[in-house]
Amino acid sequence: FGSKDGLISAVDGHALTVIGAAMAAPLPESPTEAVLELGRRVGGLLSEHRAVVDYLARLLVDGAPSGVAVFDATMAIVGAHWKQMADNGITREDLDLTWAALNPTILVFGTIILRRHIDRHLPKPLADPKQLERWQESVNTLLRYGQFRTQGQDR
């Protein structure tokens, strides 16, 4: 690696590659399917790449350039998706699109950062498939019923 900076750069590169591979594929156009797919992707990271998730948590908390880049890239992807849904008339008309993108981002990154504390309140660690399923369903329910139009609501 040549130096401490070289080592940090290599580890950052590896972590960003793993995260990018999990998150980069296009999302389904259906809002429900998009929310479910994002949950599956994050769940996969939490269960299969715990060391990378822990490293990402440190980057986010420390405000490291790589953490800033991951947060900003996530916001760009999630924000564009919410804008597309708003343009298609799927979201509530009064929805604040910035916060529509920030809320699920905070839910995911907050879970990543606080995972060890969350584990203490669950019967098994969050990385356990049953616990990940509970978390995903909880987040999906919050997003689906808290930000989308209800049936029969005028557009």
Side-chain angles (χ1 to χ4, degrees):
F1 302 108
S3 67
K4 181 179 174 183
D5 288 341
L7 175 60
I8 291 169
S9 180
V11 174
D12 284 359
H14 172 71
L16 295 177
T17 298
V18 170
I19 294 163
M23 303 305 285
L27 292 171
E29 288 195 33
S30 157
T32 301
E33 286 304 312
V35 168
L36 293 173
E37 179 59 24
L38 280 172
R40 283 189 286 270
R41 293 177 190 184
V42 172
L45 283 171
L46 286 165
S47 66
E48 298 166 22
H49 301 285
R50 282 181 248 170
V52 169
V53 168
D54 286 343
Y55 188 74
L56 174 60
R58 173 69 64 194
L59 293 175
L60 291 166
V61 169
D62 289 348
S66 297
V68 170
V70 169
F71 189 90
D72 290 350
T74 301
M75 280 297 295
I77 292 166
V78 175
H81 195 70
W82 279 105
K83 181 166 181 351
Q84 179 183 6
M85 289 189 292
D87 290 347
N88 292 336
I90 297 169
T91 62
R92 295 178 9 189
E93 289 179 13
D94 64 343
L95 183 64
D96 180 324
L97 291 178
T98 300
W99 278 102
L102 279 167
N103 284 328
T105 302
I106 291 166
L107 286 169
V108 169
F109 287 152
T111 299
I112 287 170
I113 291 166
L114 298 172
R115 181 174 59 85
R116 295 195 191 292
H117 295 290
I118 293 167
D119 284 350
R120 294 183 294 109
H121 294 271
L122 299 174
K124 291 189 175 181
L126 180 62
D128 177 81
K130 278 255 193 242
Q131 299 311 311
L132 279 172
E133 184 180 319
R134 286 180 62 203
W135 174 71
Q136 289 171 2
E137 184 58 32
S138 175
V139 170
N140 292 342
T141 298
L142 175 64
L143 294 175
R144 270 189 265 164
Y145 300 113
Q147 297 189 27
F148 294 114
R149 292 177 184 265
T150 58
Q151 293 270 336
Q153 184 180 15
D154 291 342
R155 288 188 173 184

